[in-house]
């Protein structure tokens, strides 16, 4: 007859607004516990030592580990007994941010299974894959002070907002990566996203909102977002963002009708 298993939570640790849960399964009455020897939440790139503490064990006890990455790929690191077989350890490298699953299998005396979910944070200040129109240095110069630690993410969000809500149908010269080439357009986009991040710092960052800009003109295009019953206040766009776009010479950029107008 196979081992009867039961599940219990080893622990939950708050980190960055998330809870890191380690869910364990072991043979009933023969508790095993999976832990990591590091005290803090791992970041992407960290090498940690995963550890499984077993209950009853002898020379027949064998432990293996299967590590599943967030994208579903699996690896089987070498597992080594320590403390006379009372615990087993394995090196694990977290190569991507996200939730990883560590699945331990115990055969022989103390047989059973153990699973733990590990939440891995991205490298602090890591740059995403999207287009970004300003650097954290640009933001520091615009603010005339040290930027917030989350500045890179905010600049990426502000650049996405600029693309989706203002530049979707704008016409201007770009390079092979879709980035503007004229210095005045580059400067205008830089100032626009820095202004938006500065604005978020004053009024708070809003998530997944196309803000109700209630009236502005860029070139020949009148912007009137959130008309009628959809209109809300205050505006979620920085006034300086609009002004930065208005200052770009008309011969370098042309704004056509926008989807949100």
């Amino acid at each position: 007859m196979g081992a009867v298993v039961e599940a219990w939570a080893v622990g939950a640790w708050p980190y960055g607004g998330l809870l890191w849960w380690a869910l364990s399964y072991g043979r009933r009455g023969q508790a095993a516990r999976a832990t990591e020897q590091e005290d803090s939440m791992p970041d992407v790139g960290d090498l940690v030592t995963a550890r499984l503490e077993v209950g009853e064990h002898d020379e027949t006890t064998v432990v293996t580990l299967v590590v599943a990455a967030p994208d579903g790929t699996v690896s089987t690191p070498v597992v080594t007994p320590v403390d006379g077989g009372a615990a087993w350890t394995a090196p694990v490298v977290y190569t991507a941010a996200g939730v990883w699953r560590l699945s331990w299998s115990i055969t022989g005396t103390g047989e059973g299974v153990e699973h733990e979910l590990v939440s891995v944070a991205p490298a602090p200040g890591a740059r995403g894959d999207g287009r970004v129109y300003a650097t954290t240095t640009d933001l520091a110069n615009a603010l005339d002070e040290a930027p917030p630690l989350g500045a890179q993410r905010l600049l990426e969000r502000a650049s996405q907002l600029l693309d989706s809500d203002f530049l979707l149908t704008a016409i201007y010269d770009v390079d092979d990566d879709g980035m503007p080439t004229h210095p005045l357009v580059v400067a205008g986009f830089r100032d626009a996203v820095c202004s938006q991040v500065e604005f978020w710092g004053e009024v708070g960052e809003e998530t997944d909102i196309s803000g109700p800009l209630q009236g502005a003109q860029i070139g020949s295009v009148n912007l009137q977002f959130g008309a009628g019953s959809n209109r809300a206040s205050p505006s979620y766009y920085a006034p300086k963002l609009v002004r930065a776009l208005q200052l770009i010479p008309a011969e370098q950029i042309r704004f056509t009708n926008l989807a949100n107008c």
Side-chain angles (χ1 to χ4, degrees), residues 60-251:
T60 68
T61 303
V62 177
V63 177
T64 58
L65 174 63
V66 175
V67 178
D71 63 0
T73 59
V74 298
S75 59
T76 54
V78 176
V79 180
T80 304
V82 296
D83 298 334
W88 297 70
T89 63
V92 177
V93 180
Y94 294 119
T95 57
V99 177
W100 291 65
R101 187 183 71 248
L102 277 61
S103 299
W104 302 86
S105 295
I106 310 166
T107 58
T109 299
E111 65 179 331
V113 293
E114 295 270 330
H115 301 286
E116 56 178 322
L117 299 179
V118 180
S119 183
V120 177
R127 184 166 184 160
D129 296 329
R131 289 186 293 182
V132 182
Y133 296 118
T135 67
T136 55
T137 299
D138 294 329
L139 181 60
N141 291 333
L143 299 175
D144 197 25
E145 61 183 38
L149 292 177
Q152 184 62 44
R153 179 184 63 84
L154 294 172
L155 288 169
E156 291 173 4
R157 284 211 59 221
S159 297
Q160 292 167 2
L161 180 147
L162 193 66
D163 278 339
S164 63
D165 292 11
F166 292 89
L167 304 179
L168 190 61
T169 59
I171 300 173
Y172 53 95
D173 292 336
V174 298
D175 60 19
D176 291 340
D177 295 322
M179 296 295 287
T181 56
H182 194 280
L184 294 178
V185 179
V186 172
F189 290 4
R190 177 202 64 206
D191 294 345
V193 297
C194 288
S195 295
Q196 186 64 37
V197 172
E198 180 182 16
F199 182 72
W200 281 334
E202 296 172 353
V203 303
E205 181 186 358
E206 297 292 336
T207 303
D208 293 329
I209 295 176
S210 288
L213 180 68
Q214 297 187 17
Q217 182 169 342
I218 302 177
S220 61
V221 176
N222 289 307
L223 306 181
Q224 190 76 33
F225 299 164
S229 60
N230 293 328
R231 183 172 298 172
S233 61
S235 171
Y236 294 108
Y237 298 108
K240 289 168 62 177
L241 178 152
V242 176
R243 290 199 294 272
L245 297 180
Q246 290 172 331
L247 289 173
I248 301 174
E251 59 269 22

Side-chain angles (χ1 to χ4, degrees), residues 10 20 22 33-37 49-53 102 104 116:
V10 170
W20 178 28
R33 188 167 68 92
T35 63
E36 288 188 346
Q37 292 187 351
T49 300
R51 179 183 176 95
L52 177 74
E53 298 176 357
L102 277 61
W104 302 86
E116 56 178 322

Side-chain angles (χ1 to χ4, degrees), residues 13-24:
W13 298 267
Y15 183 83
L18 300 175
L19 288 180
W20 178 28
W21 283 94
L23 299 178
S24 295

